[in-house]
């Protein structure tokens, strides 16, 4: 077991990979993990060390390099030669960056910044303070994050739960589901997918939900103060509670609930827009 990495080391230090390798995290604030193909699992603990476990049966090596306050970890095998499954345990407060072109990523317990970029693979993040995910093909699940959550997905569903903070989600071919959200700033758009929002509508908040070819479902809490702007082209609008429409022109109109201090824009080119109360299901006769 290797327990110390000289703080001043700059460049790549090749390590022979035993069953596990542990390095000091003294003076480290950033961790970068690179893996061409294979699973990347990150867990956290209260020790000021980073443990690396890599299933690399061919030559059992990982490359670890340090520059300044950052450490980079990647498999010792050249990209594309074989799959490498990696499990990293790190201090919870480290900023984390993961590059895995063909990797499933699972991060749990982080209390720092988490940034993930994947070409093909599913991404699951539990925790994190400021989370950014970019996926070309794969599903994204983020739970319990705070700060800013930003997701871009080309093909795959995005599911956000118990998020506290700003949300910005763009999906091309996939659904966006947002549940138990506490936010005053939400922007979620899908080209070919449904968009669901269940969370707070805060006074003065800004919310925009849009889809080109899908349905919108948005919950409006009792007592919300919000001005709602609706725009559809080839779809219908339904609300499970009474509203008074203002300035309706074809399928563009507004209405106000309470003082109207928050702003909610709902746009669906070819799909239904549904407003319901928290805990309600969409009535069967709406389908």
């Amino acid at each position: 077991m290797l327990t110390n990495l000289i703080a001043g080391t700059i460049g790549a230090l090749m390590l022979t990979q035993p069953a596990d390798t542990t390095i000091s995290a003294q003076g480290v604030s950033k961790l970068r993990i690179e893996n061409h193909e294979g699973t990347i699992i990150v867990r956290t603990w209260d020790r000021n060390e980073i443990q690396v476990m890599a299933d690399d049966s061919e030559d059992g090596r990982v490359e670890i390099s340090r520059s300044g306050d950052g450490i980079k970890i990647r498999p010792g095998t050249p990209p594309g030669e074989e799959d490498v499954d990696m499990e990293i345990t790190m201090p919870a407060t480290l900023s984390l960056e993961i590059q895995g072109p063909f990797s499933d990523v699972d991060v749990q317990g982080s209390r720092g910044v988490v940034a993930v970029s994947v070409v093909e693979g599913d991404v699951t993040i539990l925790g994190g303070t400021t989370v950014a995910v970019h996926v070309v093909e794969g599903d994204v699940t983020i739970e319990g994050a705070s700060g800013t959550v930003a997701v871009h997905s080309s093909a795959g569903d995005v599911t956000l739960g118990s998020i506290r903070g700003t949300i910005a989600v763009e999906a091309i071919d996939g659904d966006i589901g947002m549940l138990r959200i506490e936010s005053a700033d939400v922007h979620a758009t899908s080209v070919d997918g449904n968009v669901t929002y269940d969370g707070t509508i805060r006074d003065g908040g800004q919310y925009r939900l849009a889809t080109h070819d899908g349905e919108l479902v948005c919950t409006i809490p009792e007592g919300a103060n919000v001005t709602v702007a609706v725009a559809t082209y080839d779809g219908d609008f339904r609300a499970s509670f009474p509203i008074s429409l203002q300035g309706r022109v074809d399928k563009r109109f507004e209405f106000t609930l309470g003082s109207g201090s928050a702003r909610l824009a709902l746009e669906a080119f070819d799909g239904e827009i549904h407003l319901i109360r928290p805990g309600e299901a969409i009535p069967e006769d709406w389908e």
Side-chain angles (χ1 to χ4, degrees):
M1 176 178 291
L2 184 65
T3 57
N4 288 288
L5 184 66
I6 299 174
T9 299
I10 299 178
L13 173 63
M14 187 72 70
L15 303 177
T16 300
Q17 175 64 41
D20 65 84
T21 295
T22 303
I23 60 177
S24 171
Q26 185 67 35
V28 176
S29 64
K30 296 178 290 188
L31 175 62
R32 178 183 174 95
I33 302 170
E34 298 179 356
N35 191 12
H36 183 75
E37 190 168 0
T39 300
I40 301 172
I41 297 174
V42 179
R43 298 293 183 264
T44 62
W45 56 11
D46 58 4
R47 294 161 56 179
N48 197 26
E49 295 176 317
I50 300 170
Q51 183 184 64
V52 183
M53 300 180 68
D55 178 12
D56 183 353
S57 58
E58 184 173 324
D59 56 15
R61 294 181 296 127
V62 292
E63 291 184 14
I64 301 176
S65 59
R66 175 163 181 172
S67 179
D69 63 349
I71 283 181
K72 180 169 69 174
I73 300 171
R74 63 183 182 183
T77 54
E81 283 199 359
E82 66 173 297
D83 295 0
V84 179
D85 295 331
M86 304 178 69
E87 183 167 352
I88 313 292
T89 307
M90 68 172 200
T93 57
L94 292 188
S95 294
L96 178 64
E97 181 180 357
I98 296 175
Q99 296 277 344
F102 302 99
S103 299
D104 291 331
V105 175
D106 184 344
V107 178
Q108 296 187 25
S110 173
R111 298 198 302 272
V113 175
V114 179
V116 177
S117 180
V118 171
V119 175
E120 183 178 334
D122 296 334
V123 176
T124 300
I125 299 173
L126 306 182
T129 302
T130 304
V131 176
V133 177
H134 187 284
V135 175
V136 176
E137 184 176 349
D139 294 335
V140 177
T141 302
I142 303 174
E143 185 88 20
S146 60
T148 299
V149 174
V151 180
H152 184 278
S153 172
S154 295
D157 296 336
V158 178
T159 303
L160 307 182
S162 300
I163 306 298
R164 301 180 63 184
T166 300
I167 294 174
V169 182
E170 294 181 356
I172 295 175
D173 185 9
D175 297 336
I176 300 173
M178 297 168 284
L179 305 175
R180 304 177 306 280
I181 305 300
E182 296 183 35
S183 178
D185 189 353
V186 176
H187 181 109
T189 64
S190 177
V191 176
D192 188 12
N194 301 326
V195 178
T196 302
Y197 179 80
D198 186 353
T200 59
I201 302 292
R202 292 183 176 169
D203 288 357
Q206 298 290 321
Y207 305 84
R208 179 174 181 262
L209 312 177
T211 179
H212 186 272
D213 188 11
E215 293 191 355
L216 293 183
V217 179
C218 181
T219 62
I220 305 292
E222 294 279 358
N225 297 306
V226 57
T227 299
V228 182
V230 176
T232 69
Y233 177 76
D234 188 18
D236 292 324
F237 168 82
R238 294 184 175 93
S240 67
F241 48 87
I243 60 174
S244 178
L245 302 184
Q246 302 164 7
R248 180 160 189 163
V249 178
D250 293 330
K251 294 191 175 184
R252 289 181 174 271
F253 52 89
E254 290 189 357
F255 62 91
T256 299
L257 300 174
S259 69
S261 67
R263 184 77 180 177
L264 171 62
L266 303 172
E267 304 171 15
F269 183 84
D270 185 16
E272 311 292 326
I273 299 177
H274 304 313
L275 292 189
I276 58 177
R277 293 300 191 188
E280 288 185 343
I282 297 177
E284 292 184 2
D285 60 357
W286 286 12
E287 300 294 337

